[in-house]
Amino acid sequence: MADCLFCKIAAGEIPCNKVYEDDDVLAFRDIAPKAPTHILIIPKKHIAHLADCTEEDAVLLAKIQLLAKLLADEEGIAKSGFRVVSNSGEDSGQEVAHLHYHLLGGKKLGDIC
């Protein structure tokens, strides 16, 4: 999508502090971190919201979950605990209409669930 911020980041048009990239996904550090480790994980395929996913996206979604675990290991937060969050839609607080996951850790995170 031409005007999507995360599509532009995935295409290399906007720089990011990349921590992982392959043909399907990109992970980079959030520019306004809410925890010592705050990494965004995005699919390169434009999907606006988690609510828009279909069965054809199942492998991609599983890949993102496994990547979150791998990055938590690499960041040294897997043992102490981490959170993976994906907001879907305006009422959830989703600010960029491109599916993305926040990997948060490195400190005690407050109760929200």
Side-chain angles (χ1 to χ4, degrees):
M1 179 163 274
D3 62 342
C4 173
L5 173 66
F6 287 169
C7 285
K8 289 179 180 179
I9 291 171
E13 297 171 21
I14 296 174
C16 67
N17 187 351
K18 189 183 316 180
V19 295
Y20 179 88
E21 181 175 22
D22 67 20
D23 291 341
D24 302 313
V25 297
L26 174 67
F28 54 95
R29 299 200 186 277
D30 194 294
I31 61 169
K34 306 291 189 247
T37 295
H38 189 166
I39 296 172
L40 298 176
I41 305 170
I42 66 169
K44 288 186 174 180
K45 171 185 175 183
H46 182 82
I47 303 169
H49 311 286
L50 185 58
D52 296 332
C53 291
T54 65
E55 273 199 40
E56 88 175 25
D57 299 312
V59 171
L60 177 62
L61 296 173
K63 184 175 189 173
I64 290 169
Q65 291 292 310
L66 291 172
L67 178 59
K69 184 261 187 229
L70 173 75
L71 293 174
D73 285 339
E74 290 179 0
E75 293 287 315
I77 60 172
K79 195 172 231 181
S80 61
F82 60 95
R83 182 175 293 160
V84 179
V85 177
S86 181
N87 299 315
S88 184
E90 188 176 318
D91 283 355
S92 74
Q94 184 179 5
E95 295 178 6
V96 178
H98 184 115
L99 178 63
H100 60 284
Y101 292 78
H102 299 260
L103 170 63
L104 300 147
K107 72 174 190 176
K108 183 136 178 100
L109 301 171
D111 294 333
I112 61 167
C113 302

